[in-house]
Amino acid sequence: MSQSRTRVTLALSFLLACAGCHSAKVAEPLTAKLGGNDPDAQMEFWHTLATRNLTSNDEAFHGLLLYIDGQDPAADYTGRVNALKSRGLLDAGFNQPADQAVERGILAQTLVRALKIKGGVLQRLTHDNPRYAVRELMYMDLYPPSSPQQTFSGTEFLGIIGRIEDYQRGNPADYPAAVLPGEAAQGAPGDVANPQAKPTTRPVTRPTVQPTVQPQVEQNK
């Protein structure tokens, strides 16, 4: 009887281990329909991505190129990967499929390179290893607590892009990276309050706080 239980336990452990080996997939990445560069297509891409449970490699790289250049010149996933590799933002050996959910470590690696964040000794010695890239972005409060293998929902990915946007403006907002960003508190790009920033098609996603009216207490005469 004990041997039978042992076999069942080993079998279940094996199945659970195998289940963890499979990477999450994203059905029908948005780039197939919303991969255009015109302002309306970009706006719809960002808004729709916020509703997704997972962000694919293809969607993440499209969004990254939109953020860096304001447009994505690539016609497909292969073109996006090649564009990022040509800039040294992705390792030459990167070969993950388009529909695989983007790993936080891979995105962190591209971000520290795009932003020229040197980081600590281990990050430099390992050529921006995803593990140390994640740690550096966490230290800088640009990432929430993360592991390199974790993925992003659409909302979380938008939060990271907005946090990076605030960082590049030199005015990081006091919001955690998991909170949807978009526009900085001092004004959206192109606004009078923020004239130095470039206009963007990214949606304003940070909730506004409605002022509260304190009731007046009538004093006894």
Side-chain angles (χ1 to χ4, degrees), residues 73-97:
D76 53 25
Y77 178 65
T78 300
R80 293 180 188 104
V81 170
N82 289 337
L84 294 174
K85 285 183 177 181
S86 68
R87 300 183 182 194
L89 303 184
L90 274 178
D91 284 344
F94 177 85
N95 60 357
Q96 293 182 5

Side-chain angles (χ1 to χ4, degrees), residues 17-211:
C18 288
C21 295
H22 296 289
S23 300
K25 300 288 185 180
V26 178
E28 299 181 3
L30 296 175
T31 45
K33 296 180 179 179
L34 302 176
N37 288 312
D38 61 275
D40 289 339
Q42 290 191 32
M43 182 68 76
E44 189 173 358
F45 169 77
W46 291 116
H47 275 297
T48 307
L49 183 61
T51 68
R52 309 274 281 190
N53 292 327
L54 290 172
T55 301
S56 70
N57 281 324
D58 199 13
E59 292 163 342
F61 296 163
H62 175 66
L64 188 60
L65 287 169
L66 290 181
Y67 176 73
I68 295 173
D69 297 334
Q71 62 177 351
D72 175 7
D76 53 25
Y77 178 65
T78 300
R80 293 180 188 104
V81 170
N82 289 337
L84 294 174
K85 285 183 177 181
S86 68
R87 300 183 182 194
L89 303 184
L90 274 178
D91 284 344
F94 177 85
N95 60 357
Q96 293 182 5
D99 61 351
Q100 180 174 323
V102 67
E103 296 177 2
R104 297 190 180 195
I106 296 298
L107 182 65
Q109 186 180 62
T110 63
L111 288 174
V112 297
R113 290 172 175 176
L115 300 174
K116 295 179 172 55
I117 297 173
K118 300 303 181 183
V121 174
L122 289 175
Q123 180 188 325
R124 296 195 296 271
L125 289 177
T126 59
H127 303 289
D128 305 317
N129 178 279
R131 177 183 299 276
Y132 299 113
V134 166
R135 289 184 182 179
E136 183 63 25
L137 293 186
M138 287 171 55
Y139 173 77
M140 297 177 67
D141 199 28
L142 298 176
Y143 252 32
S146 304
S147 69
Q149 289 75 34
Q150 276 184 275
T151 60
F152 284 115
S153 68
T155 295
E156 290 167 336
F157 179 78
L158 279 172
I160 297 301
I161 294 297
R163 193 70 175 151
I164 294 297
E165 185 177 43
D166 289 344
Y167 165 78
Q168 284 198 295
R169 288 176 181 164
N171 182 28
D174 294 328
Y175 293 88
V179 175
L180 268 179
E183 312 305 339
Q186 78 272 22
D191 289 349
V192 175
N194 191 17
Q196 300 301 321
K198 297 179 181 179
T200 179
T201 56
R202 284 186 291 279
V204 178
T205 50
R206 184 170 291 154
T208 57
V209 179
Q210 298 296 330

